[in-house]
Amino acid sequence: MRVGFIGLGEAGHIYAEATAAAGHDVTGFDPAAPTTPDGVRRLETAAEVVAASELVVVLTGASLSGRIATAEAPHLSDGAIWADFTTASPEVMREVGTVVEAAGGRFADVAVLGPVPSKGAATETMVSGSAASDVASFLRSLGADVETVDGPAGEATSRKLLRSVMMKSLATTVVEALEAGRAAGCEEWVHAQIAAQLSGDADAKIERYVAGSRKHAVRRAHEMDSVVEHLATLGVEAEMSAASGRVLRRLAGDDAA
Amino acid sequence: MRVGFIGLGEAGHIYAEATAAAGHDVTGFDPAAPTTPDGVRRLETAAEVVAASELVVVLTGASLSGRIATAEAPHLSDGAIWADFTTASPEVMREVGTVVEAAGGRFADVAVLGPVPSKGAATETMVSGSAASDVASFLRSLGADVETVDGPAGEATSRKLLRSVMMKSLATTVVEALEAGRAAGCEEWVHAQIAAQLSGDADAKIERYVAGSRKHAVRRAHEMDSVVEHLATLGVEAEMSAASGRVLRRLAGDDAA
């Protein structure tokens, strides 16, 4: 397949090189990138790359996503695919999809679910949009684990962000709890308490967390005030605990309403 | 054993009744409680209860904890035990311990680890202080699961608060993630994503959360900005996600420092 890359920065470089290595015919455009990936023919303009490609992969900064689509999608061959791999928002992805389809192309937004430098083109992804299944096949040809998401353009990006609510907030909660345990001289004990929450019957725990947060919202909100005070005496930042207290206060209000 | 209760509110009522039912000789004082638990002899003053008891259990609001100890501990028999079951802070518990021991008594702070109305006197507890092992035996006689914590008075209370950093913040993170999933029309998918984080190899996950939060702090902080924006478009409060972003920003700064 003729694949064109717009953006040959860190991630673009890795994906373009892997695409060439997988036997595809690869062109690329980047006004600034200092190096050209092995096996990639670098062209002078984005328009040339788009015109030459059956699949265009956009790997620029998120803020350029909409502007590039508006300027360059008109150069797409009929039925060619525009795949946006940037971290633009679901709303922007939907707009880019509309622009691409108005230009006669097909669109997919690709949510990359980890740091590309670690696992390269094999990094786990989610894909949605009218060209989702073709782009998923392409990514699988590079060794990636791909989940296609039904629904309009932007869905994969939305899912990635929804997943981060849990994953990143959980991760920083663990960081805060361990910092507090360390400051109090009982990090090992706190570690064991955390571990107990992260194994076992997950569904039962989720139900208990949701029901318990609602049922005991008032009492727990007060307790989180004490937690925040205690962490202050330990010299530990209590961002997650304070936010938890605010959520519990809201849940308490919800029940009163 | 002669056990005296100061405070016969919801939790005090439950513990006092269970103590009488377990065959102890129980007195109680409360200036306001509308009912007297079965088997409990209610006295006119806290001083009488304290003077009559080998073990005094304080189950008032946390704000009264220090004041009651200062006023009533002088009435303790020599070597009698003062057990503070309130939600007062570790700092207050240490002060109460000092007051009680100056009066010739022994002290334990009892951290009650769940809602007493659900499991009654069998609710899980942690106990610390000079009288910890005696109070633990008493609680076990009521059917409670007790963990004694080495170290000075206040340690059990501190552990309870440290445990809440993880448990309550995790619970409200789950609430926020599910709310976002519901608003986006993919609650089941989010549920499965959460479940995947709450089962399996806990130690490996803890290590990954801590290392990943530090290593990718800058990128993840930006992503959490996008998450907060996305939740706003869904009409969902993003307290936990916003706090996570602030923690990641701090971690990014730590690394830069």
Side-chain angles (χ1 to χ4, degrees):
Chain A
M1 184 158 54
R2 299 189 311 279
V3 185
F5 283 79
I6 300 181
L8 296 169
E10 188 172 33
H13 188 107
I14 290 169
Y15 274 107
E17 198 159 272
T19 302
H24 297 287
D25 176 13
V26 184
T27 57
F29 169 75
D30 190 304
T35 60
T36 300
D38 283 351
V40 174
R41 203 155 38 93
R42 193 153 167 181
L43 304 180
E44 293 293 312
T45 65
E48 288 172 77
V49 168
V50 173
S53 302
E54 295 161 282
L55 166 65
V56 175
V57 172
V58 179
L59 257 164
T60 62
S63 61
L64 297 175
S65 199
R67 206 182 324 159
I68 291 174
T70 305
E72 310 298 348
H75 302 291
L76 277 171
S77 313
D78 205 39
I81 297 168
W82 185 280
D84 192 323
F85 280 53
T86 73
T87 58
S89 71
E91 292 72 34
V92 169
M93 291 297 188
R94 269 196 289 279
E95 287 163 24
V96 169
T98 303
V99 166
V100 166
E101 285 163 15
R106 292 181 299 139
F107 179 73
D109 61 306
V110 177
V112 181
L113 300 178
V116 176
S118 308
K119 294 173 69 180
T123 305
E124 199 186 344
T125 56
M126 288 192 292
V127 186
S128 60
S130 54
S133 69
D134 287 327
V135 173
S137 303
F138 163 70
L139 282 163
R140 288 190 189 107
S141 79
L142 306 183
D145 189 353
V146 188
E147 182 182 349
T148 59
V149 181
D150 289 341
E155 275 301 298
T157 307
S158 171
R159 295 286 174 103
K160 178 190 180 186
L161 295 176
L162 293 172
R163 183 172 172 269
S164 286
V165 173
M166 180 67 193
M167 292 193 57
K168 270 65 169 192
S169 301
L170 172 56
T172 53
T173 293
V174 168
V175 167
E176 185 165 303
L178 288 174
E179 282 177 350
R182 195 174 313 132
C186 57
E187 188 174 0
E188 257 178 65
W189 182 85
V190 169
H191 193 284
Q193 295 287 319
I194 295 170
Q197 301 304 315
L198 299 181
S199 50
D201 183 344
D203 289 340
K205 276 182 291 186
I206 292 172
E207 200 183 316
R208 205 169 65 233
Y209 293 151
V210 172
S213 294
R214 291 197 175 277
K215 186 170 176 196
H216 307 299
V218 174
R219 186 172 60 79
R220 289 189 180 181
H222 285 299
E223 191 190 347
M224 294 318 277
D225 292 342
S226 304
V227 168
V228 170
E229 272 176 43
H230 188 46
L231 265 55
T233 69
L234 294 169
V236 173
E237 300 273 353
E239 288 285 3
M240 303 310 297
S241 302
S244 180
R246 288 191 294 273
V247 173
L248 289 163
R249 212 144 257 143
R250 175 170 62 79
L251 294 175
D254 280 0
D255 284 353
Chain B
M1 184 158 54
R2 297 191 312 278
V3 185
F5 283 80
I6 299 181
L8 297 169
E10 188 172 33
H13 189 107
I14 290 168
Y15 273 107
E17 197 159 272
T19 302
H24 297 287
D25 176 13
V26 185
T27 57
F29 169 75
D30 192 304
T35 59
T36 300
D38 284 348
V40 174
R41 202 155 39 93
R42 193 151 166 185
L43 303 180
E44 293 293 312
T45 64
E48 288 171 79
V49 167
V50 173
S53 302
E54 296 162 281
L55 166 63
V56 174
V57 172
V58 179
L59 258 163
T60 62
S63 61
L64 298 175
S65 199
R67 206 184 322 159
I68 290 175
T70 304
E72 309 300 347
H75 301 293
L76 277 171
S77 312
D78 204 40
I81 297 168
W82 185 280
D84 192 323
F85 279 53
T86 73
T87 57
S89 71
E91 292 71 32
V92 169
M93 291 297 189
R94 267 197 290 279
E95 285 163 25
V96 170
T98 302
V99 167
V100 166
E101 284 163 17
R106 293 183 297 140
F107 179 73
D109 61 305
V110 176
V112 181
L113 300 177
V116 176
S118 308
K119 294 174 67 181
T123 306
E124 200 186 343
T125 56
M126 287 193 292
V127 186
S128 61
S130 55
S133 68
D134 287 327
V135 173
S137 303
F138 163 70
L139 283 162
R140 288 189 189 107
S141 79
L142 306 184
D145 191 352
V146 188
E147 184 182 349
T148 58
V149 181
D150 289 340
E155 275 301 297
T157 306
S158 171
R159 295 286 175 99
K160 178 190 180 186
L161 295 176
L162 293 171
R163 183 171 171 268
S164 287
V165 172
M166 180 66 193
M167 292 192 58
K168 269 65 171 193
S169 302
L170 172 56
T172 52
T173 293
V174 168
V175 167
E176 184 165 304
L178 287 175
E179 282 177 351
R182 195 173 315 135
C186 58
E187 187 175 0
E188 256 179 66
W189 182 85
V190 169
H191 193 286
Q193 295 287 319
I194 295 171
Q197 300 304 314
L198 299 181
S199 50
D201 184 343
D203 288 342
K205 277 182 289 187
I206 293 172
E207 198 183 319
R208 204 169 67 232
Y209 293 150
V210 172
S213 295
R214 290 195 175 278
K215 186 171 177 195
H216 307 299
V218 174
R219 185 172 59 80
R220 289 188 181 182
H222 285 299
E223 191 191 348
M224 293 319 278
D225 292 343
S226 304
V227 168
V228 171
E229 272 176 44
H230 188 47
L231 265 56
T233 69
L234 294 169
V236 173
E237 298 273 352
E239 288 283 3
M240 303 309 299
S241 302
S244 181
R246 289 192 294 273
V247 173
L248 290 162
R249 212 143 258 145
R250 174 171 63 79
L251 294 175
D254 280 0
D255 284 354

